[in-house]
Structures are given as structure tokens and as C-alpha cells.
PDB file of all heavy atoms in Angstrom:
ATOM      1  N   GLY M 253      56.049   6.065 -16.365  1.00 92.00           N
ATOM      2  CA  GLY M 253      55.244   5.925 -15.174  1.00 92.00           C
ATOM      3  C   GLY M 253      55.500   7.045 -14.181  1.00 92.00           C
ATOM      4  O   GLY M 253      56.301   7.963 -14.455  1.00 92.00           O
ATOM      5  N   SER M 254      54.853   6.995 -13.023  1.00 91.00           N
ATOM      6  CA  SER M 254      54.993   8.073 -12.038  1.00 91.00           C
ATOM      7  C   SER M 254      55.074   7.499 -10.619  1.00 91.00           C
ATOM      8  O   SER M 254      54.581   6.420 -10.334  1.00 91.00           O
ATOM      9  CB  SER M 254      53.797   9.029 -12.119  1.00 91.00           C
ATOM     10  OG  SER M 254      52.591   8.356 -11.792  1.00 91.00           O
ATOM     11  N   ALA M 255      55.734   8.278  -9.741  1.00 92.00           N
ATOM     12  CA  ALA M 255      55.824   7.956  -8.312  1.00 92.00           C
ATOM     13  C   ALA M 255      55.411   9.195  -7.530  1.00 92.00           C
ATOM     14  O   ALA M 255      55.994  10.250  -7.682  1.00 92.00           O
ATOM     15  CB  ALA M 255      57.259   7.543  -7.968  1.00 92.00           C
ATOM     16  N   MET M 256      54.371   9.046  -6.712  1.00 91.00           N
ATOM     17  CA  MET M 256      53.818  10.164  -5.982  1.00 91.00           C
ATOM     18  C   MET M 256      53.993   9.952  -4.466  1.00 91.00           C
ATOM     19  O   MET M 256      53.771   8.875  -3.935  1.00 91.00           O
ATOM     20  CB  MET M 256      52.314  10.291  -6.266  1.00 91.00           C
ATOM     21  CG  MET M 256      51.945  10.264  -7.729  1.00 91.00           C
ATOM     22  SD  MET M 256      52.347  11.771  -8.601  1.00 91.00           S
ATOM     23  CE  MET M 256      51.052  12.871  -8.004  1.00 91.00           C
ATOM     24  N   ILE M 257      54.406  11.015  -3.786  1.00 92.00           N
ATOM     25  CA  ILE M 257      54.509  11.028  -2.317  1.00 92.00           C
ATOM     26  C   ILE M 257      53.579  12.124  -1.805  1.00 92.00           C
ATOM     27  O   ILE M 257      53.773  13.302  -2.080  1.00 92.00           O
ATOM     28  CB  ILE M 257      55.947  11.337  -1.845  1.00 92.00           C
ATOM     29  CG1 ILE M 257      56.962  10.348  -2.482  1.00 92.00           C
ATOM     30  CG2 ILE M 257      56.035  11.288  -0.340  1.00 92.00           C
ATOM     31  CD1 ILE M 257      56.803   8.941  -2.032  1.00 92.00           C
ATOM     32  N   ASP M 258      52.565  11.699  -1.069  1.00 88.00           N
ATOM     33  CA  ASP M 258      51.590  12.652  -0.517  1.00 88.00           C
ATOM     34  C   ASP M 258      51.031  13.579  -1.608  1.00 88.00           C
ATOM     35  O   ASP M 258      50.891  14.793  -1.410  1.00 88.00           O
ATOM     36  CB  ASP M 258      52.252  13.476   0.596  1.00 88.00           C
ATOM     37  CG  ASP M 258      51.252  14.120   1.527  1.00 88.00           C
ATOM     38  OD1 ASP M 258      50.053  13.727   1.502  1.00 88.00           O
ATOM     39  OD2 ASP M 258      51.631  15.017   2.279  1.00 88.00           O
ATOM     40  N   GLY M 259      50.777  12.995  -2.777  1.00 88.00           N
ATOM     41  CA  GLY M 259      50.198  13.769  -3.903  1.00 88.00           C
ATOM     42  C   GLY M 259      51.213  14.542  -4.723  1.00 88.00           C
ATOM     43  O   GLY M 259      50.825  15.246  -5.666  1.00 88.00           O
ATOM     44  N   ILE M 260      52.483  14.435  -4.409  1.00 92.00           N
ATOM     45  CA  ILE M 260      53.526  15.190  -5.107  1.00 92.00           C
ATOM     46  C   ILE M 260      54.363  14.237  -5.969  1.00 92.00           C
ATOM     47  O   ILE M 260      54.882  13.230  -5.471  1.00 92.00           O
ATOM     48  CB  ILE M 260      54.449  15.935  -4.119  1.00 92.00           C
ATOM     49  CG1 ILE M 260      53.622  16.889  -3.249  1.00 92.00           C
ATOM     50  CG2 ILE M 260      55.546  16.699  -4.851  1.00 92.00           C
ATOM     51  CD1 ILE M 260      54.395  17.487  -2.107  1.00 92.00           C
ATOM     52  N   ASP M 261      54.516  14.552  -7.234  1.00 91.00           N
ATOM     53  CA  ASP M 261      55.295  13.726  -8.149  1.00 91.00           C
ATOM     54  C   ASP M 261      56.790  13.903  -7.847  1.00 91.00           C
ATOM     55  O   ASP M 261      57.298  15.015  -7.861  1.00 91.00           O
ATOM     56  CB  ASP M 261      55.009  14.108  -9.610  1.00 91.00           C
ATOM     57  CG  ASP M 261      55.561  13.113 -10.612  1.00 91.00           C
ATOM     58  OD1 ASP M 261      56.789  12.863 -10.576  1.00 91.00           O
ATOM     59  OD2 ASP M 261      54.782  12.569 -11.427  1.00 91.00           O
ATOM     60  N   ILE M 262      57.468  12.795  -7.556  1.00 90.00           N
ATOM     61  CA  ILE M 262      58.863  12.860  -7.160  1.00 90.00           C
ATOM     62  C   ILE M 262      59.765  13.382  -8.268  1.00 90.00           C
ATOM     63  O   ILE M 262      60.819  13.985  -7.989  1.00 90.00           O
ATOM     64  CB  ILE M 262      59.370  11.467  -6.690  1.00 90.00           C
ATOM     65  CG1 ILE M 262      60.762  11.535  -6.037  1.00 90.00           C
ATOM     66  CG2 ILE M 262      59.384  10.477  -7.853  1.00 90.00           C
ATOM     67  CD1 ILE M 262      60.788  12.165  -4.702  1.00 90.00           C
ATOM     68  N   LEU M 263      59.389  13.207  -9.535  1.00 86.00           N
ATOM     69  CA  LEU M 263      60.200  13.684 -10.638  1.00 86.00           C
ATOM     70  C   LEU M 263      59.886  15.129 -11.002  1.00 86.00           C
ATOM     71  O   LEU M 263      60.781  15.897 -11.353  1.00 86.00           O
ATOM     72  CB  LEU M 263      60.002  12.785 -11.863  1.00 86.00           C
ATOM     73  CG  LEU M 263      60.491  11.340 -11.703  1.00 86.00           C
ATOM     74  CD1 LEU M 263      60.228  10.547 -12.966  1.00 86.00           C
ATOM     75  CD2 LEU M 263      61.960  11.283 -11.325  1.00 86.00           C
ATOM     76  N   GLU M 264      58.623  15.539 -10.877  1.00 88.00           N
ATOM     77  CA  GLU M 264      58.234  16.897 -11.225  1.00 88.00           C
ATOM     78  C   GLU M 264      58.566  17.906 -10.141  1.00 88.00           C
ATOM     79  O   GLU M 264      58.890  19.053 -10.408  1.00 88.00           O
ATOM     80  CB  GLU M 264      56.739  16.939 -11.550  1.00 88.00           C
ATOM     81  CG  GLU M 264      56.340  16.203 -12.816  1.00 88.00           C
ATOM     82  CD  GLU M 264      54.868  16.326 -13.125  1.00 88.00           C
ATOM     83  OE1 GLU M 264      54.164  17.013 -12.344  1.00 88.00           O
ATOM     84  OE2 GLU M 264      54.414  15.748 -14.123  1.00 88.00           O
ATOM     85  N   ASN M 265      58.483  17.473  -8.892  1.00 90.00           N
ATOM     86  CA  ASN M 265      58.772  18.345  -7.760  1.00 90.00           C
ATOM     87  C   ASN M 265      59.597  17.604  -6.721  1.00 90.00           C
ATOM     88  O   ASN M 265      59.100  17.303  -5.619  1.00 90.00           O
ATOM     89  CB  ASN M 265      57.465  18.883  -7.163  1.00 90.00           C
ATOM     90  CG  ASN M 265      57.665  20.091  -6.287  1.00 90.00           C
ATOM     91  OD1 ASN M 265      58.799  20.419  -5.913  1.00 90.00           O
ATOM     92  ND2 ASN M 265      56.584  20.768  -5.934  1.00 90.00           N
ATOM     93  N   PRO M 266      60.834  17.274  -7.038  1.00 89.00           N
ATOM     94  CA  PRO M 266      61.625  16.368  -6.178  1.00 89.00           C
ATOM     95  C   PRO M 266      61.908  16.925  -4.786  1.00 89.00           C
ATOM     96  O   PRO M 266      61.920  16.168  -3.833  1.00 89.00           O
ATOM     97  CB  PRO M 266      62.913  16.146  -6.988  1.00 89.00           C
ATOM     98  CG  PRO M 266      62.988  17.326  -7.917  1.00 89.00           C
ATOM     99  CD  PRO M 266      61.580  17.676  -8.258  1.00 89.00           C
ATOM    100  N   ILE M 267      62.153  18.215  -4.666  1.00 89.00           N
ATOM    101  CA  ILE M 267      62.517  18.778  -3.361  1.00 89.00           C
ATOM    102  C   ILE M 267      61.347  18.677  -2.381  1.00 89.00           C
ATOM    103  O   ILE M 267      61.496  18.226  -1.249  1.00 89.00           O
ATOM    104  CB  ILE M 267      62.987  20.246  -3.511  1.00 89.00           C
ATOM    105  CG1 ILE M 267      64.311  20.279  -4.275  1.00 89.00           C
ATOM    106  CG2 ILE M 267      63.165  20.898  -2.130  1.00 89.00           C
ATOM    107  CD1 ILE M 267      64.823  21.678  -4.543  1.00 89.00           C
ATOM    108  N   ALA M 268      60.164  19.061  -2.846  1.00 90.00           N
ATOM    109  CA  ALA M 268      58.977  18.999  -1.984  1.00 90.00           C
ATOM    110  C   ALA M 268      58.657  17.565  -1.601  1.00 90.00           C
ATOM    111  O   ALA M 268      58.297  17.271  -0.462  1.00 90.00           O
ATOM    112  CB  ALA M 268      57.787  19.656  -2.666  1.00 90.00           C
ATOM    113  N   ALA M 269      58.798  16.626  -2.572  1.00 90.00           N
ATOM    114  CA  ALA M 269      58.492  15.230  -2.311  1.00 90.00           C
ATOM    115  C   ALA M 269      59.501  14.627  -1.340  1.00 90.00           C
ATOM    116  O   ALA M 269      59.125  13.888  -0.398  1.00 90.00           O
ATOM    117  CB  ALA M 269      58.465  14.454  -3.607  1.00 90.00           C
ATOM    118  N   LYS M 270      60.787  14.922  -1.527  1.00 89.00           N
ATOM    119  CA  LYS M 270      61.827  14.354  -0.690  1.00 89.00           C
ATOM    120  C   LYS M 270      61.724  14.845   0.767  1.00 89.00           C
ATOM    121  O   LYS M 270      62.184  14.140   1.668  1.00 89.00           O
ATOM    122  CB  LYS M 270      63.190  14.680  -1.266  1.00 89.00           C
ATOM    123  CG  LYS M 270      63.526  13.888  -2.535  1.00 89.00           C
ATOM    124  CD  LYS M 270      64.894  14.263  -3.067  1.00 89.00           C
ATOM    125  CE  LYS M 270      65.198  13.523  -4.369  1.00 89.00           C
ATOM    126  NZ  LYS M 270      66.509  13.870  -4.933  1.00 89.00           N
ATOM    127  N   ARG M 271      61.181  16.017   0.972  1.00 90.00           N
ATOM    128  CA  ARG M 271      60.985  16.512   2.338  1.00 90.00           C
ATOM    129  C   ARG M 271      60.031  15.647   3.129  1.00 90.00           C
ATOM    130  O   ARG M 271      60.004  15.689   4.351  1.00 90.00           O
ATOM    131  CB  ARG M 271      60.489  17.954   2.315  1.00 90.00           C
ATOM    132  CG  ARG M 271      61.581  18.966   1.985  1.00 90.00           C
ATOM    133  CD  ARG M 271      61.061  20.376   2.034  1.00 90.00           C
ATOM    134  NE  ARG M 271      62.122  21.324   1.760  1.00 90.00           N
ATOM    135  CZ  ARG M 271      61.972  22.454   1.072  1.00 90.00           C
ATOM    136  NH1 ARG M 271      60.777  22.770   0.606  1.00 90.00           N
ATOM    137  NH2 ARG M 271      62.986  23.260   0.878  1.00 90.00           N
ATOM    138  N   ARG M 272      59.222  14.867   2.422  1.00 91.00           N
ATOM    139  CA  ARG M 272      58.236  13.993   3.057  1.00 91.00           C
ATOM    140  C   ARG M 272      58.754  12.564   3.217  1.00 91.00           C
ATOM    141  O   ARG M 272      58.014  11.690   3.625  1.00 91.00           O
ATOM    142  CB  ARG M 272      56.941  13.997   2.254  1.00 91.00           C
ATOM    143  CG  ARG M 272      56.198  15.331   2.346  1.00 91.00           C
ATOM    144  CD  ARG M 272      55.179  15.496   1.212  1.00 91.00           C
ATOM    145  NE  ARG M 272      54.322  16.644   1.439  1.00 91.00           N
ATOM    146  CZ  ARG M 272      54.673  17.909   1.204  1.00 91.00           C
ATOM    147  NH1 ARG M 272      55.883  18.176   0.751  1.00 91.00           N
ATOM    148  NH2 ARG M 272      53.830  18.897   1.458  1.00 91.00           N
ATOM    149  N   ILE M 273      60.038  12.372   2.904  1.00 92.00           N
ATOM    150  CA  ILE M 273      60.595  10.992   2.923  1.00 92.00           C
ATOM    151  C   ILE M 273      61.821  10.950   3.835  1.00 92.00           C
ATOM    152  O   ILE M 273      62.691  11.805   3.764  1.00 92.00           O
ATOM    153  CB  ILE M 273      61.033  10.546   1.519  1.00 92.00           C
ATOM    154  CG1 ILE M 273      59.865  10.524   0.553  1.00 92.00           C
ATOM    155  CG2 ILE M 273      61.665   9.142   1.570  1.00 92.00           C
ATOM    156  CD1 ILE M 273      60.281  10.292  -0.893  1.00 92.00           C
ATOM    157  N   GLY M 274      61.866   9.913   4.672  1.00 92.00           N
ATOM    158  CA  GLY M 274      63.086   9.560   5.380  1.00 92.00           C
ATOM    159  C   GLY M 274      63.569   8.245   4.826  1.00 92.00           C
ATOM    160  O   GLY M 274      62.807   7.256   4.811  1.00 92.00           O
ATOM    161  N   PHE M 275      64.799   8.194   4.325  1.00 90.00           N
ATOM    162  CA  PHE M 275      65.285   7.029   3.593  1.00 90.00           C
ATOM    163  C   PHE M 275      66.524   6.431   4.249  1.00 90.00           C
ATOM    164  O   PHE M 275      67.508   7.155   4.510  1.00 90.00           O
ATOM    165  CB  PHE M 275      65.576   7.409   2.147  1.00 90.00           C
ATOM    166  CG  PHE M 275      66.021   6.283   1.257  1.00 90.00           C
ATOM    167  CD1 PHE M 275      65.481   5.020   1.382  1.00 90.00           C
ATOM    168  CD2 PHE M 275      66.979   6.507   0.280  1.00 90.00           C
ATOM    169  CE1 PHE M 275      65.888   3.975   0.542  1.00 90.00           C
ATOM    170  CE2 PHE M 275      67.392   5.475  -0.580  1.00 90.00           C
ATOM    171  CZ  PHE M 275      66.828   4.207  -0.441  1.00 90.00           C
ATOM    172  N   LEU M 276      66.482   5.130   4.515  1.00 89.00           N
ATOM    173  CA  LEU M 276      67.664   4.411   4.964  1.00 89.00           C
ATOM    174  C   LEU M 276      68.021   3.411   3.877  1.00 89.00           C
ATOM    175  O   LEU M 276      67.407   2.376   3.747  1.00 89.00           O
ATOM    176  CB  LEU M 276      67.402   3.670   6.274  1.00 89.00           C
ATOM    177  CG  LEU M 276      68.553   2.773   6.767  1.00 89.00           C
ATOM    178  CD1 LEU M 276      69.745   3.624   7.176  1.00 89.00           C
ATOM    179  CD2 LEU M 276      68.100   1.904   7.914  1.00 89.00           C
ATOM    180  N   PRO M 277      69.046   3.708   3.060  1.00 86.00           N
ATOM    181  CA  PRO M 277      69.478   2.757   2.022  1.00 86.00           C
ATOM    182  C   PRO M 277      70.146   1.556   2.645  1.00 86.00           C
ATOM    183  O   PRO M 277      70.443   1.549   3.853  1.00 86.00           O
ATOM    184  CB  PRO M 277      70.435   3.576   1.154  1.00 86.00           C
ATOM    185  CG  PRO M 277      70.921   4.680   2.036  1.00 86.00           C
ATOM    186  CD  PRO M 277      69.822   4.955   3.025  1.00 86.00           C
ATOM    187  N   GLU M 278      70.425   0.548   1.831  1.00 81.00           N
ATOM    188  CA  GLU M 278      71.025  -0.690   2.343  1.00 81.00           C
ATOM    189  C   GLU M 278      72.370  -0.404   3.014  1.00 81.00           C
ATOM    190  O   GLU M 278      72.708  -0.999   4.028  1.00 81.00           O
ATOM    191  CB  GLU M 278      71.195  -1.687   1.192  1.00 81.00           C
ATOM    192  CG  GLU M 278      71.715  -3.043   1.656  1.00 81.00           C
ATOM    193  CD  GLU M 278      71.752  -4.065   0.539  1.00 81.00           C
ATOM    194  OE1 GLU M 278      71.180  -3.800  -0.546  1.00 81.00           O
ATOM    195  OE2 GLU M 278      72.328  -5.141   0.746  1.00 81.00           O
ATOM    196  N   GLN M 279      73.141   0.520   2.450  1.00 85.00           N
ATOM    197  CA  GLN M 279      74.385   0.983   3.068  1.00 85.00           C
ATOM    198  C   GLN M 279      74.113   2.361   3.675  1.00 85.00           C
ATOM    199  O   GLN M 279      73.975   3.329   2.963  1.00 85.00           O
ATOM    200  CB  GLN M 279      75.509   1.088   2.030  1.00 85.00           C
ATOM    201  CG  GLN M 279      75.918  -0.237   1.406  1.00 85.00           C
ATOM    202  CD  GLN M 279      76.481  -1.197   2.422  1.00 85.00           C
ATOM    203  OE1 GLN M 279      77.176  -0.798   3.364  1.00 85.00           O
ATOM    204  NE2 GLN M 279      76.196  -2.485   2.254  1.00 85.00           N
ATOM    205  N   PRO M 280      73.985   2.470   5.016  1.00 88.00           N
ATOM    206  CA  PRO M 280      73.641   3.749   5.636  1.00 88.00           C
ATOM    207  C   PRO M 280      74.634   4.847   5.238  1.00 88.00           C
ATOM    208  O   PRO M 280      75.851   4.605   5.208  1.00 88.00           O
ATOM    209  CB  PRO M 280      73.736   3.440   7.150  1.00 88.00           C
ATOM    210  CG  PRO M 280      73.510   1.971   7.243  1.00 88.00           C
ATOM    211  CD  PRO M 280      74.127   1.386   5.998  1.00 88.00           C
ATOM    212  N   PRO M 281      74.129   6.036   4.905  1.00 89.00           N
ATOM    213  CA  PRO M 281      74.997   7.127   4.427  1.00 89.00           C
ATOM    214  C   PRO M 281      75.679   7.833   5.603  1.00 89.00           C
ATOM    215  O   PRO M 281      75.379   8.983   5.947  1.00 89.00           O
ATOM    216  CB  PRO M 281      73.994   8.053   3.730  1.00 89.00           C
ATOM    217  CG  PRO M 281      72.726   7.868   4.494  1.00 89.00           C
ATOM    218  CD  PRO M 281      72.712   6.419   4.934  1.00 89.00           C
ATOM    219  N   LEU M 282      76.632   7.156   6.215  1.00 95.00           N
ATOM    220  CA  LEU M 282      77.282   7.689   7.425  1.00 95.00           C
ATOM    221  C   LEU M 282      78.698   8.189   7.121  1.00 95.00           C
ATOM    222  O   LEU M 282      79.370   7.687   6.217  1.00 95.00           O
ATOM    223  CB  LEU M 282      77.382   6.577   8.472  1.00 95.00           C
ATOM    224  CG  LEU M 282      76.091   5.881   8.869  1.00 95.00           C
ATOM    225  CD1 LEU M 282      76.361   4.764   9.856  1.00 95.00           C
ATOM    226  CD2 LEU M 282      75.080   6.862   9.444  1.00 95.00           C
ATOM    227  N   TYR M 283      79.110   9.218   7.875  1.00 95.00           N
ATOM    228  CA  TYR M 283      80.475   9.695   7.844  1.00 95.00           C
ATOM    229  C   TYR M 283      81.179   9.143   9.084  1.00 95.00           C
ATOM    230  O   TYR M 283      80.942   9.599  10.202  1.00 95.00           O
ATOM    231  CB  TYR M 283      80.529  11.223   7.809  1.00 95.00           C
ATOM    232  CG  TYR M 283      80.064  11.796   6.501  1.00 95.00           C
ATOM    233  CD1 TYR M 283      78.776  12.249   6.327  1.00 95.00           C
ATOM    234  CD2 TYR M 283      80.945  11.870   5.411  1.00 95.00           C
ATOM    235  CE1 TYR M 283      78.330  12.772   5.117  1.00 95.00           C
ATOM    236  CE2 TYR M 283      80.515  12.395   4.186  1.00 95.00           C
ATOM    237  CZ  TYR M 283      79.210  12.824   4.060  1.00 95.00           C
ATOM    238  OH  TYR M 283      78.799  13.335   2.852  1.00 95.00           O
ATOM    239  N   LEU M 284      82.031   8.147   8.882  1.00 96.00           N
ATOM    240  CA  LEU M 284      82.572   7.383   9.999  1.00 96.00           C
ATOM    241  C   LEU M 284      83.503   8.166  10.887  1.00 96.00           C
ATOM    242  O   LEU M 284      83.755   7.788  12.033  1.00 96.00           O
ATOM    243  CB  LEU M 284      83.259   6.135   9.466  1.00 96.00           C
ATOM    244  CG  LEU M 284      82.405   5.184   8.629  1.00 96.00           C
ATOM    245  CD1 LEU M 284      83.190   3.940   8.255  1.00 96.00           C
ATOM    246  CD2 LEU M 284      81.120   4.804   9.349  1.00 96.00           C
ATOM    247  N   ASP M 285      84.069   9.303  10.379  1.00 96.00           N
ATOM    248  CA  ASP M 285      84.988  10.081  11.193  1.00 96.00           C
ATOM    249  C   ASP M 285      84.278  11.150  12.026  1.00 96.00           C
ATOM    250  O   ASP M 285      84.914  11.864  12.804  1.00 96.00           O
ATOM    251  CB  ASP M 285      86.055  10.744  10.304  1.00 96.00           C
ATOM    252  CG  ASP M 285      85.448  11.610   9.200  1.00 96.00           C
ATOM    253  OD1 ASP M 285      84.234  11.455   8.931  1.00 96.00           O
ATOM    254  OD2 ASP M 285      86.172  12.429   8.611  1.00 96.00           O
ATOM    255  N   MET M 286      82.945  11.251  11.866  1.00 97.00           N
ATOM    256  CA  MET M 286      82.153  12.182  12.671  1.00 97.00           C
ATOM    257  C   MET M 286      81.633  11.504  13.926  1.00 97.00           C
ATOM    258  O   MET M 286      81.451  10.282  13.960  1.00 97.00           O
ATOM    259  CB  MET M 286      80.931  12.695  11.868  1.00 97.00           C
ATOM    260  CG  MET M 286      81.218  13.696  10.793  1.00 97.00           C
ATOM    261  SD  MET M 286      79.653  14.279  10.061  1.00 97.00           S
ATOM    262  CE  MET M 286      80.250  15.598   9.028  1.00 97.00           C
ATOM    263  N   THR M 287      81.370  12.303  14.955  1.00 97.00           N
ATOM    264  CA  THR M 287      80.621  11.778  16.095  1.00 97.00           C
ATOM    265  C   THR M 287      79.142  11.724  15.705  1.00 97.00           C
ATOM    266  O   THR M 287      78.725  12.345  14.725  1.00 97.00           O
ATOM    267  CB  THR M 287      80.772  12.636  17.341  1.00 97.00           C
ATOM    268  OG1 THR M 287      80.197  13.935  17.089  1.00 97.00           O
ATOM    269  CG2 THR M 287      82.246  12.809  17.740  1.00 97.00           C
ATOM    270  N   VAL M 288      78.389  10.978  16.471  1.00 97.00           N
ATOM    271  CA  VAL M 288      76.949  10.926  16.205  1.00 97.00           C
ATOM    272  C   VAL M 288      76.334  12.322  16.291  1.00 97.00           C
ATOM    273  O   VAL M 288      75.521  12.707  15.452  1.00 97.00           O
ATOM    274  CB  VAL M 288      76.258   9.983  17.240  1.00 97.00           C
ATOM    275  CG1 VAL M 288      74.733  10.017  17.069  1.00 97.00           C
ATOM    276  CG2 VAL M 288      76.772   8.545  17.080  1.00 97.00           C
ATOM    277  N   LYS M 289      76.761  13.091  17.271  1.00 97.00           N
ATOM    278  CA  LYS M 289      76.251  14.471  17.448  1.00 97.00           C
ATOM    279  C   LYS M 289      76.550  15.298  16.214  1.00 97.00           C
ATOM    280  O   LYS M 289      75.675  15.997  15.674  1.00 97.00           O
ATOM    281  CB  LYS M 289      76.898  15.091  18.678  1.00 97.00           C
ATOM    282  CG  LYS M 289      76.520  16.553  18.914  1.00 97.00           C
ATOM    283  CD  LYS M 289      77.224  17.111  20.153  1.00 97.00           C
ATOM    284  CE  LYS M 289      76.861  18.577  20.360  1.00 97.00           C
ATOM    285  NZ  LYS M 289      77.529  19.142  21.576  1.00 97.00           N
ATOM    286  N   GLU M 290      77.815  15.254  15.741  1.00 97.00           N
ATOM    287  CA  GLU M 290      78.195  16.061  14.578  1.00 97.00           C
ATOM    288  C   GLU M 290      77.414  15.630  13.340  1.00 97.00           C
ATOM    289  O   GLU M 290      76.957  16.473  12.566  1.00 97.00           O
ATOM    290  CB  GLU M 290      79.700  15.873  14.313  1.00 97.00           C
ATOM    291  CG  GLU M 290      80.590  16.547  15.374  1.00 97.00           C
ATOM    292  CD  GLU M 290      82.045  16.120  15.221  1.00 97.00           C
ATOM    293  OE1 GLU M 290      82.312  15.080  14.596  1.00 97.00           O
ATOM    294  OE2 GLU M 290      82.910  16.845  15.772  1.00 97.00           O
ATOM    295  N   TYR M 291      77.246  14.325  13.178  1.00 97.00           N
ATOM    296  CA  TYR M 291      76.576  13.822  11.997  1.00 97.00           C
ATOM    297  C   TYR M 291      75.081  14.207  11.975  1.00 97.00           C
ATOM    298  O   TYR M 291      74.583  14.679  10.948  1.00 97.00           O
ATOM    299  CB  TYR M 291      76.713  12.293  11.962  1.00 97.00           C
ATOM    300  CG  TYR M 291      75.926  11.655  10.829  1.00 97.00           C
ATOM    301  CD1 TYR M 291      76.285  11.855   9.494  1.00 97.00           C
ATOM    302  CD2 TYR M 291      74.805  10.857  11.101  1.00 97.00           C
ATOM    303  CE1 TYR M 291      75.582  11.258   8.469  1.00 97.00           C
ATOM    304  CE2 TYR M 291      74.095  10.287  10.061  1.00 97.00           C
ATOM    305  CZ  TYR M 291      74.474  10.491   8.757  1.00 97.00           C
ATOM    306  OH  TYR M 291      73.760   9.916   7.729  1.00 97.00           O
ATOM    307  N   LEU M 292      74.398  14.062  13.091  1.00 97.00           N
ATOM    308  CA  LEU M 292      72.958  14.380  13.114  1.00 97.00           C
ATOM    309  C   LEU M 292      72.734  15.886  12.934  1.00 97.00           C
ATOM    310  O   LEU M 292      71.760  16.306  12.286  1.00 97.00           O
ATOM    311  CB  LEU M 292      72.326  13.888  14.411  1.00 97.00           C
ATOM    312  CG  LEU M 292      72.275  12.356  14.559  1.00 97.00           C
ATOM    313  CD1 LEU M 292      71.586  11.983  15.871  1.00 97.00           C
ATOM    314  CD2 LEU M 292      71.587  11.679  13.381  1.00 97.00           C
ATOM    315  N   ASN M 293      73.617  16.697  13.471  1.00 97.00           N
ATOM    316  CA  ASN M 293      73.516  18.143  13.244  1.00 97.00           C
ATOM    317  C   ASN M 293      73.800  18.502  11.788  1.00 97.00           C
ATOM    318  O   ASN M 293      73.181  19.402  11.246  1.00 97.00           O
ATOM    319  CB  ASN M 293      74.451  18.886  14.191  1.00 97.00           C
ATOM    320  CG  ASN M 293      73.847  19.097  15.574  1.00 97.00           C
ATOM    321  OD1 ASN M 293      73.088  20.037  15.810  1.00 97.00           O
ATOM    322  ND2 ASN M 293      74.171  18.197  16.498  1.00 97.00           N
ATOM    323  N   PHE M 294      74.741  17.760  11.187  1.00 97.00           N
ATOM    324  CA  PHE M 294      75.043  17.979   9.769  1.00 97.00           C
ATOM    325  C   PHE M 294      73.825  17.643   8.909  1.00 97.00           C
ATOM    326  O   PHE M 294      73.458  18.396   8.008  1.00 97.00           O
ATOM    327  CB  PHE M 294      76.229  17.090   9.389  1.00 97.00           C
ATOM    328  CG  PHE M 294      76.464  16.969   7.909  1.00 97.00           C
ATOM    329  CD1 PHE M 294      76.944  18.028   7.148  1.00 97.00           C
ATOM    330  CD2 PHE M 294      76.180  15.769   7.242  1.00 97.00           C
ATOM    331  CE1 PHE M 294      77.133  17.911   5.792  1.00 97.00           C
ATOM    332  CE2 PHE M 294      76.377  15.635   5.876  1.00 97.00           C
ATOM    333  CZ  PHE M 294      76.854  16.718   5.156  1.00 97.00           C
ATOM    334  N   VAL M 295      73.166  16.506   9.193  1.00 95.00           N
ATOM    335  CA  VAL M 295      71.971  16.114   8.454  1.00 95.00           C
ATOM    336  C   VAL M 295      70.837  17.124   8.674  1.00 95.00           C
ATOM    337  O   VAL M 295      70.113  17.474   7.752  1.00 95.00           O
ATOM    338  CB  VAL M 295      71.527  14.699   8.831  1.00 95.00           C
ATOM    339  CG1 VAL M 295      70.200  14.329   8.160  1.00 95.00           C
ATOM    340  CG2 VAL M 295      72.596  13.689   8.457  1.00 95.00           C
ATOM    341  N   TYR M 296      70.713  17.607   9.905  1.00 96.00           N
ATOM    342  CA  TYR M 296      69.707  18.625  10.228  1.00 96.00           C
ATOM    343  C   TYR M 296      69.870  19.837   9.308  1.00 96.00           C
ATOM    344  O   TYR M 296      68.911  20.363   8.740  1.00 96.00           O
ATOM    345  CB  TYR M 296      69.844  19.028  11.716  1.00 96.00           C
ATOM    346  CG  TYR M 296      68.886  20.107  12.170  1.00 96.00           C
ATOM    347  CD1 TYR M 296      67.718  19.776  12.816  1.00 96.00           C
ATOM    348  CD2 TYR M 296      69.171  21.472  11.955  1.00 96.00           C
ATOM    349  CE1 TYR M 296      66.822  20.770  13.248  1.00 96.00           C
ATOM    350  CE2 TYR M 296      68.310  22.467  12.388  1.00 96.00           C
ATOM    351  CZ  TYR M 296      67.138  22.108  13.036  1.00 96.00           C
ATOM    352  OH  TYR M 296      66.273  23.087  13.469  1.00 96.00           O
TER     353      TYR M 296
END
């Protein structure tokens, strides 16, 4: 089967598709020893 994001196949072109997705998994991917400022700049 296939999964498309904005017309882009997530398996065939994962980088382009992932740029169109913001994902919050059940366990947030946080670094607990960082400040909020450091973490958001890291993700940026």
C-alpha cells in the first residue's frame, strides 16, 4: 500500500513528505536536560 502527504509518497520521497508533517508521538521526543529555548532551537 501507499501513504501520501500533499501528493508525495512518504516511502518514495520521505524527506520532502516529512517536511510537510509535524508529529507529536505518544511519548514527546524531549531532551529533559535542555531548556525549552535550547530544545526548540535544536529542533529548528
